[in-house]
Amino acid sequence: MTQRPRIGIAGAIRTDAERAAFQQYVEAIEAAGGEAVPLFPGAQSEGALERLDGLLLTGGRDIDPGHYGEELRDGWDVDVDRERDALELPLARAAVRRDLPVLGICRGVQVLNVALGGTLQQDVDIERTGRQAWSHQQRRSFPDAPHDASIHEIEVKPESRMREIAGAGRLGVNTFHHQAIARLAPELVATAQSVEPGAPGLVEAVEAPERRFVLGVQWHPERMWRRDGAAARLFAALVGAAARTRVG
């Protein structure tokens, strides 16, 4: 029997909410044919990659702005997770350097961008309009909506890996963030943005064209894959790339 590709899932299970969220990633990877390998704060970044075929960077709290050269801004509801920063930023850099397949989700796409030299908007709404409207955090803007609900649309660039996976130029996605990519890391290109009449679109997906498979998305496909083909194909694409890594 062929061994399933081993996908490291970086995250945390310090609270009941974190445990429940982490399990969703595990189930998505296993449904796509991968073997989930948990990676929690305290793990050695370089050593953690030795027996992995791919890496999944998961959602969660905010990155310390010091990692992209900014100070923490008072009153902006920035909730940093330094334990995860210590694990995931060097882990992401090492994985990209090794050309290991990587998928970043929500916080994970932000980790990927910061790890490779990019910056973030510390609070999307305040930076755009000077007020906190939670325009991309559906727990507050649409509190009754299911977590797999498509709250807004994104436009996906043609001739990108994301477009190939999505199979369409527009997708409906869920949204659970108040930060977003500001300056892209040099190695990354933006391949999707939010569709927002009257407001500039946010970066919703990135990829590294020179790498075998490095992709990040700002939404949460682990909450959508059971009903949404594009979400399921994201995990299948990661596991497929990891399987080719194993063969190679």
Side-chain angles (χ1 to χ4, degrees):
M1 182 177 177
T2 304
Q3 187 176 2
R4 292 177 296 159
R6 291 169 57 85
I7 309 298
I9 306 180
I13 53 169
R14 297 162 297 195
T15 66
D16 289 344
E18 285 183 337
R19 278 188 286 274
F22 191 83
Q23 184 60 28
Q24 292 181 307
Y25 296 101
V26 170
E27 291 173 4
I29 287 296
E30 291 180 343
E35 177 184 349
V37 180
L39 300 172
F40 299 133
Q44 294 296 317
S45 299
E46 287 281 357
L49 297 176
E50 293 297 335
R51 296 184 179 180
L52 296 178
D53 304 303
L55 176 65
L56 176 60
L57 301 165
T58 66
R61 289 157 47 200
D62 300 326
I63 300 166
D64 187 336
H67 289 296
Y68 48 93
E70 296 185 10
E71 294 183 357
L72 190 65
R73 301 188 185 184
D74 293 335
W76 282 31
D77 206 56
V78 179
D79 182 16
V80 303
D81 192 335
R82 293 182 177 88
E83 287 186 334
R84 288 189 59 182
D85 291 350
L87 168 67
E88 294 166 14
L89 289 166
L91 192 68
R93 280 190 288 267
V96 173
R97 189 167 61 244
R98 291 177 180 223
D99 207 12
L100 199 70
V102 179
L103 174 62
I105 292 175
C106 199
R107 170 188 159 92
V109 70
Q110 296 170 10
V111 166
L112 187 61
N113 189 57
V114 172
L116 299 179
T119 66
L120 304 179
Q121 298 181 52
Q122 289 192 41
D123 191 291
V124 168
D125 294 321
I126 293 177
E127 292 197 30
R128 292 201 297 191
T129 68
R131 63 187 180 86
Q132 179 58 270
W134 300 108
S135 62
H136 282 258
Q137 172 50 281
Q138 71 185 62
R139 283 194 184 93
R140 302 201 187 192
S141 54
F142 297 92
D144 297 326
H147 286 183
D148 66 348
S150 298
I151 297 299
H152 70 78
E153 285 192 321
I154 64 169
E155 187 167 0
V156 185
K157 288 188 177 179
E159 299 182 3
S160 64
R161 187 183 294 272
M162 186 66 233
R163 179 67 168 265
E164 179 183 344
I165 293 168
R170 287 223 178 176
L171 293 178
V173 299
N174 55 6
T175 184
F176 296 89
H177 63 104
H178 77 109
Q179 298 193 326
I181 289 174
R183 186 183 72 243
L184 270 171
E187 196 165 345
L188 300 176
V189 297
T191 54
Q193 70 175 27
S194 57
V195 177
E196 301 182 61
L202 301 179
V203 174
E204 291 279 351
V206 302
E207 53 196 69
E210 303 304 316
R211 298 293 177 174
R212 179 166 19 191
F213 184 95
V214 173
L215 194 150
V217 300
Q218 188 58 75
W219 66 97
H220 279 268
E222 82 285 359
R223 297 172 180 170
M224 301 181 75
W225 65 270
R226 286 182 170 85
R227 69 158 187 85
D228 183 276
R233 287 192 294 274
L234 275 169
F235 295 103
L238 172 64
V239 171
R244 293 188 291 276
T245 299
R246 176 183 290 277
V247 170

